[in-house]
């Protein structure tokens, strides 16, 4: 399956990557090993020893180098073999019991950055990574915000997850007890495109919200509320959702919550879903508590309602192309369709040798 | 795999199809959802929402319409979308909070009939379904007979099951403790073809039958019996087996039992096996009891002896064509080979545009 | 996957093949059934009845013939049908209740030999089998040696196992607590080719060996030892490993242990691994005990350390060709690469119609 290569993807949450136990993760169909150097720097290498294809993720970290568990070659953070223990073979040894690392013994090394509680990796041309900043998720900057992150594996293509997040009209059907409301379907929805980004705004008036939301937003259960949902998508599958809820007719009572949703393909039919919440440290203790509680309470609907549906969709689609199944279009799909068309254009453009930067900066908030 | 399309298949037992919980079943490689309307009418639709391919079988039945579990579109018994809850989108709503159902939003609808304790469906041209009667299984008409039905799933092509039923010479090898006898192999077997139907008659004289049969047929265990087995097959895999057993040499003591065996492809390598028994209500209490006991006692050999063998055959064949493996032919195979040749002819004929009706009426009893 | 056909492979340990229960085993992608005649002769037939492809391995042995579990055809040790119970059909019976076995009803029969505690089979031209002796493993002749054998299944191509055995430099990485030593990597390694055989010699001086080895070789734990490892490989994957260990600097104290390692492909991505040990009966009681203890103590590292690594390699390779992944070559790989090249040459030669014998005799000890 063709993926967009010259772009940043989340490879793992920062908390998943350690200096003790290498993490094996398949990213864009490739086996990748993630670990930290003694200095704490996150590293992503191809998880396949170039000698005999043993998974390096089963090896030990020795003096900050990753040792192959089969024959003991060691690889540095740039993927080069830094140690070959096998000397004296046919007189080729260097006399001290070890041999020179063979020049070709190199595990592919991926550019990596770490920010917003996540380790990001770049599967394309490393040169271009150096000149491409990470997208901005200001509300997750830890010095100004309380933040929390979670990870869920999904046996469905990452664009089915993007469809799901870009069309929140499913709330009342998949999540009637938590995020939905009976008034939701009659909300006004508007999708806009700016550069390579897509935004979908949904406004509901006079909703009766479920306890999970009224508690989080400090509303009286049973009173009507007004809700705005702003979904911002940028390639390859990085979203911010802003929820604004106020007492009905009293916009000055609005409270706002922002969350990030990062989608990374594992294979053509499976993906990694990372999500994160942030609230200003200015909110004090209550903000810290709220961020943590929100992440915890949303885990259940995401895991038990969204993901089973995405996986059922994927099984119904099999390995067939989405468009080949001739999906019926509803107006609520506008945002998701824009996002799919942008990805198709960018992937085709890249395959033809195009090198311009994805123009997403304006939506990164 | 090519299947015969313009013909009736059993989709489910009547008891499996309810107005509460939709039933998901793969039929001829297609996902199908089966349910009943409020009025009790059985419905078969493609189990894939035309909007985003969610399985409709996970949805609720609301006012007799099937609601998609993802975005809440509702579909009527003819597969047309009858309700789209998403209004006001970009001004396209109809003002009352819902929108017009999109014209293309239609789940494929299959012609359905219900009879003989089963829901039948027609995967081909609906026009032709209207003019094609169901095959007759008179001994299963409930007003004149006590009947009972069972279902078993089989991980083998449906024609391996037909082979099995058309050649009962396997009784002594697969079912020595129930249906077989040592005298069985020396029985006289004769296969005849009439139109598109096949009949195989097997006659045994002086058999020592096992207790399961002597009890059912009210014979003294240990006494010799004469047995006639008549297997009638018609496309696409609908069989009636008539068993006649008498005290040896006393044909006037014969009792007769009829059973139906309906085979429906699930995939190229798996199938649905439905079987049913009927005895005249004229027999009174004893008939009712006998029908129920027979179904129960045959479940074990079918499930524990026939199906494991069919599945082992299928594993040995893999996805290869039956004839490509050059099976050795024995005279006992004549009926099964006739049936396979008829199916091949009908499928080829249909693929070339032929439209005559399958001529099976004469064997349907 | 192309395999070398005109050669002997181990199909099973002798102890696995009995006159009571047929053994089903996939060999070179083909289902094979192994059993013994009443006289004790090992037989290998295609495990697929030529009539309807039922697995013969589920059948009974009746009067030394293997009976198909589905319709009761019986097959002799040469694969010919010797009994067809189905007579009288359409008048084709022979009058006594059975019919002539159909001429084409023949299960493929493989040439078989039994020696060294193993049943060997020949998947190629039977004519050539008759003129090709088994390779020699003199140290496993039971009248002169105490012997013991083991079997392990491996979900990896058989040549990955050969690579493993031809490059024992992995001892310190996979087996640090049993077979490895810190001095191992600095040993001198030399690979030589003679005809179609490969030998790899590895010499270590002044090793500190682990208790498992010091006990087996009757050395003082903590004292330095000298170790020689001689690995002899011949097609299609038959190896002898000779281990010689002495007190360091005292070659006259050397003790020697020989083991056989026989690799047979199951499929392109799985294999059968048989290994055997032998020690001269001249050693008396102690030899018997040592052979048995060695087999038992090596089972754990083979099963828990080698095989998981081979299986991880295979998963990383998928179904891709080894060379297409462009493995980096180290000097320690010389022997394994020679063996792979010999196999490629022999398989290509055979496919082109070549008929010379594999020239391995000189290494078979």
């Amino acid at each position: 399956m063709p993926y967009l290569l010259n772009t940043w993807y989340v490879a793992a949450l920062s908390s998943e990557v350690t200096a003790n136990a290498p993490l094996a993760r398949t990213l864009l169909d490739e086996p990748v090993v993630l670990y930290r150097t003694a200095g704490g720097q996150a590293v992503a290498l191809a998880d396949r020893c170039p000698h005999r294809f043993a998974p390096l993720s089963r090896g030990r970290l020795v003096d900050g180098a990753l040792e192959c568990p089969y024959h003991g070659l060691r690889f540095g953070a740039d993927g080069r073999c830094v140690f070959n223990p096998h000397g004296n073979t046919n007189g080729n040894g260097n006399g001290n019991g070890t041999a020179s690392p063979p020049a070709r013994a190199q595990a592919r090394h991926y550019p990596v950055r770490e920010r917003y509680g996540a380790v990001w990796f770049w599967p394309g041309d490393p040169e271009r990574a150096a000149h491409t900043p990470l997208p901005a998720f200001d509300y997750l900057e830890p010095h100004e915000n309380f933040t929390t992150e979670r990870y869920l594996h999904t046996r469905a293509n990452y664009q089915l997850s993007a469809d799901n997040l870009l069309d929140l009209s499913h709330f009342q059907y998949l999540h009637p007890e938590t995020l939905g409301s009976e008034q939701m379907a009659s909300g006004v929805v508007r999708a806009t495109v700016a550069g390579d980004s897509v935004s979908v705004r949904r406004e509901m008036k006079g909703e009766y919200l479920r306890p999970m939301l009224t508690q989080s937003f400090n509303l009286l259960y049973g009173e009507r509320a007004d809700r705005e949902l702003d979904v911002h998508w940028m390639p390859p599958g990085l979203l911010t959702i802003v929820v604004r809820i106020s007492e009905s007719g009293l916009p000055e009572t609005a409270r706002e919550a922002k969350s990030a949703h990062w989608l990374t393909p594992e294979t053509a039919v499976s993906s990694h879903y990372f999500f994160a919440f942030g609230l200003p440290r200015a909110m004090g203790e209550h903000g810290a508590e709220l961020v943590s509680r929100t992440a915890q309470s949303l885990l259940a609907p995401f895991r038990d309602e969204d993901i089973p549906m995405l996986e059922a969709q994927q099984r119904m689609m099999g390995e067939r192309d989405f468009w080949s199944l001739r999906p019926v279009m509803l107006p609520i799909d506008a945002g998701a369709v824009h996002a799919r068309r942008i990805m198709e254009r960018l992937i085709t453009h890249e395959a033809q040798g195009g090198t311009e930067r994805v123009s997403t900066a304006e939506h990164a908030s």
Side-chain angles (χ1 to χ4, degrees), chain A residues 192-253:
Chain A
T192 54
V193 176
D196 292 331
S197 292
V198 175
S199 293
V200 177
R201 183 183 190 86
R202 172 178 280 274
E203 292 176 23
M204 275 80 60
K205 301 286 186 199
E207 283 186 294
Y208 290 114
L209 298 176
R210 308 295 302 159
M212 193 187 92
L213 284 179
T214 56
Q215 280 164 27
S216 287
F217 284 82
N218 215 19
L219 297 167
L220 221 55
Y221 177 67
E223 297 291 313
R224 287 183 181 271
D226 296 342
R227 178 162 54 155
E228 295 171 14
L229 296 167
D230 275 304
V231 182
H232 303 289
W233 173 94
M234 72 183 103
L238 305 174
L239 298 99
T240 288
I241 298 181
V242 184
V243 183
R244 244 174 258 98
I245 300 183
S246 58
E247 294 174 42
S248 200
L250 298 172
E252 65 276 18
T253 65

Side-chain angles (χ1 to χ4, degrees), chain A residues 48-103:
Chain A
R48 195 158 55 196
C49 180
H51 171 232
R52 280 298 174 272
F53 322 128
L56 297 174
S57 55
R58 295 193 174 202
R60 300 180 302 160
L61 288 160
V62 184
D63 305 335
L66 185 55
E67 182 182 88
C68 176
Y70 198 175
H71 296 94
L73 299 184
R74 292 182 197 162
F75 298 88
D78 61 356
R80 284 179 198 280
C81 181
V82 295
F83 181 72
N84 170 9
H86 305 291
N88 291 327
T89 306
N90 292 333
N92 290 335
N94 58 15
N96 66 359
T98 67
S100 311

Side-chain angles (χ1 to χ4, degrees), chain A residues 27 30-33 43-47 77 108-112 121-124:
Chain A
L27 299 167
E30 295 294 332
V32 175
V33 53
V43 177
L45 302 179
D47 189 18
R108 181 175 173 187
H109 159 261
Y110 295 95
V112 158
F121 95 117
W122 180 277

Side-chain angles (χ1 to χ4, degrees), chain A residues 145-351:
Chain A
N145 298 279
F146 299 114
T147 63
T148 187
E149 307 85 25
R150 291 289 188 286
Y151 165 74
L152 288 169
H153 182 260
T154 309
R155 283 164 299 179
N157 182 274
Y158 72 114
Q159 296 201 311
L160 290 176
S161 287
D163 291 350
N164 174 282
L165 293 160
L166 279 160
D167 174 19
L168 301 181
S169 73
H170 70 265
F171 272 12
Q172 177 58 6
Y173 297 97
L174 275 188
H175 315 303
E177 299 307 321
T178 49
L179 301 172
S181 82
E182 295 200 351
Q183 296 77 26
M184 196 149 187
S186 55
V188 175
V189 184
R190 210 163 278 118
T192 54
V193 176
D196 292 331
S197 292
V198 175
S199 293
V200 177
R201 183 183 190 86
R202 172 178 280 274
E203 292 176 23
M204 275 80 60
K205 301 286 186 199
E207 283 186 294
Y208 290 114
L209 298 176
R210 308 295 302 159
M212 193 187 92
L213 284 179
T214 56
Q215 280 164 27
S216 287
F217 284 82
N218 215 19
L219 297 167
L220 221 55
Y221 177 67
E223 297 291 313
R224 287 183 181 271
D226 296 342
R227 178 162 54 155
E228 295 171 14
L229 296 167
D230 275 304
V231 182
H232 303 289
W233 173 94
M234 72 183 103
L238 305 174
L239 298 99
T240 288
I241 298 181
V242 184
V243 183
R244 244 174 258 98
I245 300 183
S246 58
E247 294 174 42
S248 200
L250 298 172
E252 65 276 18
T253 65
R255 288 167 172 247
E256 186 178 274
K258 289 180 177 172
S259 56
H261 306 258
W262 300 316
L263 306 170
T264 303
E266 182 183 57
T267 69
V269 294
S270 61
S271 53
H272 305 290
Y273 175 35
F274 306 94
F275 56 98
F277 297 86
L279 282 176
R281 286 185 180 273
M283 288 177 71
E285 193 92 338
H286 174 64
E289 194 264 339
L290 197 55
V291 151
S292 160
R293 182 148 53 85
T294 304
Q296 200 50 39
S297 64
L298 284 172
L299 194 65
F302 291 177
R303 183 192 59 208
D304 302 337
E305 295 168 349
D306 283 305
I307 288 180
M309 179 56 66
L310 299 171
E311 297 183 344
Q313 276 183 291
Q314 185 68 62
R315 283 194 298 273
M316 281 294 166
M317 296 175 61
E319 305 238 354
R320 286 170 293 192
D321 173 68
F322 178 77
W323 297 112
S324 75
L325 291 165
R326 308 193 57 238
V328 165
M329 289 300 152
L330 301 179
I332 51 173
D333 299 318
V337 170
H338 284 312
R340 282 182 174 270
R341 294 298 187 202
I342 289 168
M343 287 305 292
E344 285 158 12
R345 177 166 48 74
L346 293 174
I347 289 170
T348 301
H349 185 68
E350 182 175 89

Side-chain angles (χ1 to χ4, degrees), chain A residues 20-37:
Chain A
N20 309 315
L23 173 69
R25 180 156 284 167
T26 297
L27 299 167
L28 289 73
D29 289 327
E30 295 294 332
V32 175
V33 53
L34 296 148
Y35 67 95
R36 287 186 194 281
T37 62

